[in-house]
Amino acid sequence: MAFEHVNIVGLILIFLFIFIFFYFLYKNKRNPNLYIRKILGIDAISDVCDYAGETGRPVSFCTGLSSVGPVLYASLGVLSFVAKKAGTFKNRLLIPQYTPEVMAIVEESVQEAYESINRGSLFDKKDIRFLSDEQFAYASGYIGMIKRERACATFLFGTFAAESLILAEAGQEVGAVQVGATISPEQVAFFIASCDYTLIGEELFAASSYLTRKPLEITSIYTQDKVKLFIFFIIIIGSVIATINQIYPDLNLHNLDYFLTIEI
Amino acid sequence: MNIKKLLIKTFTFIGGLYFFLEFVMPESVFDFDKYHESISNAFITMSCMAVGLGIINLMVLHLDRIVYKKKDYFFSLTLLLSLFITLVILSLDWYQNEKIVSKANKFLTLSKFSEVILDDEKAKNSKVLAVNIRNQKLISELEKDINLIDKNSININEAKERELKEVLERVEKSKDNIKKDYHSTKYNLNLSKRLRNLSIVYREYLQYKNKDSLIKKLYLICFDGFFNPLVMSMFSLLGFYVATAAFKAFKIKSFESFLMMLSALIVILGQVPFGVKIWNGFPSLRLWLLSVPSTGAFRAITLGAFIAGLVMALRMWFSLEGHEKGGKN
Amino acid sequence: MEKSYFDLLIIIIGGISTLAIFSFLIKENVFYRFFEHLFIGISAALGVILTFKNFLWPKVFYPLFGLDIVTYPDGTISKEYNYELLLLIIPIILGLFYYFIYSKKHAWLAKLVIGLSLGVSGGLAFKGFFNQAIPQIVSSFKPLVVILEGSVNYLQSFNNIVFLITLLSVMYYFFFTIKQESKVSKGISKLGRYLMMICFGAFFGSTIMARLSLLVERLGFLMTDWIGAIKEIF
């Protein structure tokens, strides 16, 4: 099932989705104290930053192999938070980079985080270092850096591939407290094995919202949940229709995907 | 609102708008396909131009260490030297390859010219020179280019070189056919095909001859000596780390870690001959575990991530920032 | 096949590089650090050259400078220059704006391009969602009862039920804005978590063999090729 262009049903769904987002944005601005359940891994981010403040050792934030996209954008939210904490406690914040374009975005984000807490003078561009755009050269540079700098806390937020275990184990070896977050389930398994706290899948996107509690961030989570709920019921209905088609094949009911393929 | 900030948000919106419209607009309203590849290439070009940022960052950091003789400046020197030496070697290798391609492409050009002569003759194109003059120029250029190939150095004992000699002979035959009557385009298509083949074979021959050049040897030292073994060694570190990670992860501290350990154990036993000896149902159980519950969980996690990514993408498109991203100016 | 001295040299260098990386397992040391910096230097150069070689030169600069236009022996040309290619100057200039990140006064120009980049990712996400998520949703419409040749296929039905329970309970676990206070909802959430752990354990187990085989390959290279090369030279 490939979509080069969307049909009218798909278009309606897209606009419905945009409407839901802006509706919650408007609603949340009027009532910012909306409920979000406790997410243990995200609570730990603040605690880990506070721990780093006590030790005075550097903190590392790794965005992995993230390219410009939603995963990076979500990670920047957490990076901003960590940068502010690091600035408050005067910890060095090491941010090794994989892609030059992402490096430019991260520099801007971190600089503004420091300036927002009036610690602009602590921002050091040299701590945002480009390592390599080759996966294992990046991993090699990262593990060397972590060992030499003896980071006390490492955050692994972004897109990771096979090198995820190498990065996480390096932090383990120096005794760093580690928080890992990625959307790929294969790499989450390795983070669970090697990190102290792991955020699974979309918890990475929820992290920034959870930490800042700003109306826009809460809107994101609410929209996510509503769309997910919609898909949840779609799957149930789809399965029921598929079951009916098995038991009563003569009925030959169209399943829900039919609506995405019809041309009006 | 600050005019610069407004301009940034406008650019952000326009960037997303094109791809959004390209997806949602039906072809009957506007056909994006004509321009889509060019526009996509334009965006890729824009991102590729940032390639120098990484090099600048490396140079600033490491030159600073070298100039002020800070800690580990020797390694910074190593990095910068390896960077520049590799740049030089790769550039020279690329240049050498381009020279080879350009030499081989002379025959490709003549091949296309031969076809153009035939097409123009069929279309009775009066804006060009007469067929016989064009054929004469074609053959004279071809003879010049063939003479540049050092036939004496072709070693017919080597397969690639023998192939080149055979193809050259066929081209000579076609060339001689045209020489018999320049007014005729009967043999132009045949010559064109043989010249195209010659271009490919000659390129392979030159690349084969080039493999013993100094540049190629330096390239091989860089890659087969340093780069590839370093990549494979880093990858193989996973073999060590997966064992240490397993040792840590499979300490049964909770029911969840017990489940994780149990399923990992079943999958491992289903893959090794030892597991089959214990119980021959392990491979089937392993396959079931990977294809049914794991697929379900995998799909739920990825669906959630897609949805969250879509919401985040909407925020990116409309420049709705909850955090400092680069909007403050 | 007898190897030349050059081939043996390559193998010896490869073996030393491998040992340098493996030395990290004992502790971070000068030997590893040297090769780490060498690795980064080589790969940085490779990244730049590949970007130019595979994209910027053949797709942008080569046609832009008209180098793909050839002159035939009779003076005619293969094709006319396409003046639309001059529009490529716009993304080139926009791409160069990235370098304004180093200027305090003109950094906003870099933000312009960064914003454009982010906007493009945002716009592309809709197509990405439809092409990646929708097929997965559609393939999750599994019947709870599978009937094959007139009779119920219990195994397939069981598989589908397990699949759906896993999918829905894990999805339920990830609802952040729904209060999971009742016993039922807590139970479903817990079930989702347990099923996720089974999934992660299975992934972990399935990659162990692949990872170990990489290690075996490297150790095999050291034991046979590398030691063999040293013996031949000395």
Side-chain angles (χ1 to χ4, degrees):
Chain A
M1 204 178 193
F3 294 90
E4 278 304 315
H5 298 282
V6 76
N7 71 351
I8 189 77
V9 174
L11 192 62
I12 291 170
L13 289 172
I14 288 173
F15 282 112
L16 191 64
F17 162 73
I18 296 174
F19 170 75
I20 292 171
F21 179 83
F22 284 105
Y23 167 74
F24 276 113
L25 183 63
Y26 169 73
K27 192 176 167 191
N28 292 343
K29 277 193 168 152
R30 295 171 128 228
N31 175 18
N33 298 317
L34 288 168
Y35 171 79
I36 302 178
R37 71 160 169 87
K38 203 170 168 54
I39 306 169
L40 287 165
I42 304 176
D43 278 333
I45 295 172
S46 189
D47 298 337
V48 169
C49 291
D50 295 340
Y51 163 74
E54 286 168 25
T55 62
R57 276 160 55 191
V59 174
S60 152
F61 194 102
C62 175
T63 52
L65 313 181
S66 303
S67 57
V68 177
V71 174
L72 174 72
Y73 206 72
S75 307
L76 286 179
V78 182
L79 173 59
S80 229
F81 177 86
V82 170
K84 284 179 193 167
K85 284 274 191 175
T88 308
F89 294 120
K90 297 187 184 175
N91 288 105
R92 262 183 85 199
L93 179 61
L94 303 167
I95 313 172
Q97 287 300 305
Y98 175 76
T99 318
E101 227 185 325
V102 168
M103 192 179 71
I105 297 172
V106 163
E107 267 183 33
E108 282 302 303
S109 193
V110 173
Q111 185 167 15
E112 278 153 21
Y114 274 95
E115 281 169 2
S116 72
I117 55 164
N118 297 319
R119 296 266 206 239
S121 56
L122 288 175
F123 172 67
D124 187 356
K125 254 187 188 168
K126 293 199 192 100
D127 286 339
I128 303 172
R129 25 182 113 157
F130 174 76
L131 290 180
S132 176
D133 53 7
E134 198 286 321
Q135 181 186 10
F136 288 105
Y138 175 79
S140 155
Y142 177 86
I143 64 178
M145 182 192 79
I146 289 294
K147 278 251 174 138
R148 287 191 291 276
E149 302 287 354
R150 297 198 55 75
C152 68
T154 64
F155 295 89
L156 301 156
F157 275 67
T159 308
F160 296 89
E163 83 294 343
S164 61
L165 187 58
I166 299 174
L167 306 184
E169 281 295 314
Q172 270 282 317
E173 283 175 27
V174 294
V177 180
Q178 302 202 97
V179 183
T182 186
I183 56 172
S184 166
E186 294 108 333
Q187 310 315 324
V188 168
F190 293 123
F191 280 165
I192 287 175
S194 319
C195 295
D196 298 281
Y197 303 95
T198 308
L199 304 182
I200 304 167
E202 61 193 287
E203 287 177 348
L204 164 67
F205 293 94
S208 173
S209 319
Y210 191 87
L211 291 168
T212 59
R213 299 270 171 171
K214 289 185 179 162
L216 176 63
E217 305 275 5
I218 305 279
T219 301
S220 292
I221 295 193
Y222 266 79
T223 312
Q224 264 170 245
D225 269 15
K226 295 308 168 212
V227 175
K228 225 181 322 178
L229 195 63
F230 175 71
I231 290 171
F232 187 90
F233 287 113
I234 289 285
I235 290 173
I236 292 173
I237 295 166
S239 299
V240 166
I241 294 173
T243 309
I244 292 171
N245 278 337
Q246 283 284 310
I247 298 169
Y248 303 107
D250 298 330
L251 281 176
N252 201 18
L253 295 168
H254 285 300
N255 213 326
L256 297 172
D257 57 318
Y258 168 75
F259 295 102
L260 284 172
T261 53
I262 50 168
E263 296 292 338
I264 298 168
Chain B
M1 190 195 280
N2 184 319
I3 190 88
K4 286 175 184 171
K5 209 168 179 175
L6 181 65
L7 202 58
I8 291 166
K9 289 191 178 193
T10 308
F11 263 63
T12 308
F13 185 74
I14 290 170
L17 185 68
Y18 167 76
F19 287 98
F20 178 76
L21 288 177
E22 189 270 331
F23 181 57
V24 304
M25 232 180 225
E27 280 173 23
S28 52
V29 174
F30 188 84
D31 186 12
F32 282 94
D33 289 343
K34 232 169 60 171
Y35 306 104
H36 186 59
E37 203 194 322
S38 312
I39 292 177
S40 301
N41 278 347
F43 283 113
I44 298 171
T45 304
M46 197 185 77
S47 325
C48 285
M49 295 305 292
V51 71
L53 285 175
I55 304 293
I56 293 171
N57 184 276
L58 282 173
M59 282 177 55
V60 164
L61 177 68
H62 294 282
L63 274 174
D64 178 67
R65 280 193 199 159
I66 295 167
V67 165
Y68 295 108
K69 290 212 172 131
K70 288 182 181 172
K71 189 184 165 204
D72 289 343
Y73 78 92
F74 169 72
F75 301 106
S76 296
L77 189 63
T78 308
L79 191 149
L80 290 181
L81 276 175
S82 62
L83 173 73
F84 286 116
I85 292 170
T86 311
L87 266 175
V88 167
I89 292 171
L90 289 177
S91 305
L92 288 172
D93 179 68
W94 183 18
Y95 173 71
Q96 215 167 46
N97 278 337
E98 287 296 303
K99 256 176 73 178
I100 288 170
V101 167
S102 139
K103 273 186 191 169
N105 279 354
K106 282 184 185 162
F107 297 108
L108 193 62
T109 305
L110 293 175
S111 160
K112 285 179 186 163
F113 183 47
S114 183
E115 271 180 36
V116 162
I117 294 171
L118 178 63
D119 293 339
D120 284 342
E121 217 263 326
K122 276 184 187 165
K124 297 193 192 317
N125 188 352
S126 55
K127 291 180 189 168
V128 296
L129 294 169
V131 168
N132 61 321
I133 299 171
R134 291 179 105 191
N135 269 340
Q136 277 172 12
K137 287 185 186 279
L138 166 67
I139 298 303
S140 111
E141 195 65 35
L142 178 58
E143 280 173 346
K144 239 195 282 176
D145 289 337
I146 288 176
N147 287 339
L148 289 172
I149 301 174
D150 183 5
K151 294 187 197 69
N152 294 326
S153 71
I154 297 175
N155 177 5
I156 54 164
N157 294 321
E158 295 288 331
K160 277 219 184 312
E161 300 188 51
R162 200 165 47 240
E163 194 186 355
L164 176 65
K165 203 167 166 94
E166 285 164 11
V167 170
L168 269 171
E169 279 164 13
R170 275 184 237 134
V171 166
E172 293 273 5
K173 265 192 199 150
S174 292
K175 185 189 72 164
D176 292 336
N177 284 333
I178 291 183
K179 265 177 139 175
K180 284 177 194 163
D181 182 7
Y182 285 119
H183 291 274
S184 166
T185 55
K186 194 172 151 191
Y187 297 103
N188 280 63
L189 186 63
N190 188 277
L191 177 66
S192 167
K193 284 180 186 164
R194 287 180 176 179
L195 280 171
R196 200 169 302 135
N197 194 23
L198 174 62
S199 154
I200 295 166
V201 170
Y202 188 44
R203 181 160 32 107
E204 285 171 5
Y205 164 79
L206 287 173
Q207 282 167 347
Y208 169 75
K209 279 281 190 205
N210 184 49
K211 71 177 173 41
D212 291 325
S213 70
L214 174 67
I215 296 296
K216 212 65 190 180
K217 286 191 166 160
L218 290 172
Y219 177 91
L220 286 171
I221 290 174
C222 245
F223 277 84
D224 293 349
F226 288 108
F227 187 75
N228 286 336
L230 286 167
V231 168
M232 290 191 284
S233 311
M234 282 301 299
F235 214 152
S236 64
L237 280 185
L238 285 168
F240 289 105
Y241 285 138
V242 85
T244 55
F247 179 73
K248 279 193 294 278
F250 301 148
K251 282 181 185 167
I252 302 172
K253 291 173 274 192
S254 63
F255 183 61
E256 287 164 11
S257 54
F258 165 72
L259 283 175
M260 197 170 157
M261 187 217 75
L262 184 68
S263 69
L265 195 63
I266 290 169
V267 169
I268 293 167
L269 288 173
Q271 289 178 130
V272 297
F274 175 71
V276 180
K277 281 207 166 103
I278 299 172
W279 180 46
N280 59 5
F282 274 126
S284 312
L285 187 57
R286 168 187 164 259
L287 277 168
W288 181 83
L289 212 56
L290 286 169
S291 61
V292 182
S294 295
T295 308
F298 185 102
R299 193 163 293 178
I301 295 169
T302 46
L303 275 176
F306 281 137
I307 295 164
L310 191 64
V311 174
M312 199 58 74
L314 191 67
R315 280 177 54 183
M316 281 161 64
W317 184 22
F318 286 98
S319 304
L320 298 168
E321 301 138 36
H323 54 83
E324 289 73 21
K325 175 230 64 157
K328 197 173 167 194
N329 191 23
Chain C
M1 196 174 117
E2 224 181 271
K3 290 192 166 87
S4 66
Y5 275 115
F6 180 71
D7 293 331
L8 293 174
L9 174 70
I10 298 275
I11 292 170
I12 289 172
I13 295 172
I16 296 170
S17 306
T18 304
L19 288 172
I21 297 297
F22 284 172
S23 70
F24 183 83
L25 293 165
I26 304 165
K27 118 184 193 157
E28 201 272 338
N29 57 77
V30 168
F31 188 36
Y32 170 80
R33 218 177 299 167
F34 177 78
F35 277 87
E36 172 203 326
H37 284 77
L38 204 70
F39 195 5
I40 292 172
I42 294 173
S43 61
L46 180 66
V48 172
I49 296 291
L50 282 180
T51 304
F52 271 90
K53 191 174 166 183
N54 294 341
F55 186 81
L56 285 175
W57 181 251
K59 294 250 159 68
V60 180
F61 294 115
Y62 195 75
L64 182 64
F65 296 144
L67 298 171
D68 55 344
I69 298 171
V70 288
T71 309
Y72 294 132
D74 67 345
T76 54
I77 52 173
S78 55
K79 56 179 178 177
E80 293 293 326
Y81 182 77
N82 181 3
Y83 286 97
E84 281 181 3
L85 286 167
L86 290 172
L87 291 169
L88 279 171
I89 293 173
I90 300 172
I92 292 171
I93 292 173
L94 283 174
L96 290 172
F97 278 7
Y98 274 114
Y99 299 92
F100 281 109
I101 203 114
Y102 295 110
S103 157
K104 277 197 175 125
K105 195 177 170 194
H106 301 293
W108 71 277
L109 287 168
K111 287 173 195 173
L112 207 67
V113 198
I114 288 168
L116 193 57
S117 207
L118 287 167
V120 166
S121 296
L124 278 170
F126 290 91
K127 191 172 188 174
F129 182 84
F130 271 74
N131 280 306
Q132 291 174 304
I134 302 283
Q136 290 202 26
I137 294 168
V138 167
S139 63
S140 303
F141 297 161
K142 290 192 191 283
L144 300 170
V145 174
V146 177
I147 294 170
L148 216 60
E149 290 164 357
S151 61
V152 175
N153 183 336
Y154 289 105
L155 177 64
Q156 198 53 48
S157 305
F158 172 74
N159 285 348
N160 288 354
I161 291 169
V162 169
F163 173 84
L164 279 165
I165 289 173
T166 309
L167 175 66
L168 294 172
S169 58
V170 174
M171 278 185 85
Y172 190 83
Y173 171 79
F174 283 113
F175 283 124
F176 301 119
T177 59
I178 294 174
K179 288 186 183 175
Q180 292 171 2
E181 281 165 358
S182 71
K183 271 190 177 168
V184 173
S185 54
K186 272 188 184 166
I188 297 171
S189 192
K190 227 178 204 173
L191 176 67
R193 198 171 163 85
Y194 292 157
L195 288 165
M196 261 199 301
M197 290 301 131
I198 291 173
C199 166
F200 295 141
F203 281 137
F204 196 99
S206 68
T207 54
I208 280 181
M209 300 304 291
R211 306 285 189 245
L212 286 172
S213 70
L214 295 161
L215 177 61
V216 163
E217 185 275 330
R218 274 290 98 186
L219 291 174
F221 164 77
L222 284 173
M223 307 281 214
T224 51
D225 296 336
W226 188 63
I227 290 180
I230 292 176
K231 278 184 187 165
E232 264 199 66
I233 289 203
F234 298 109

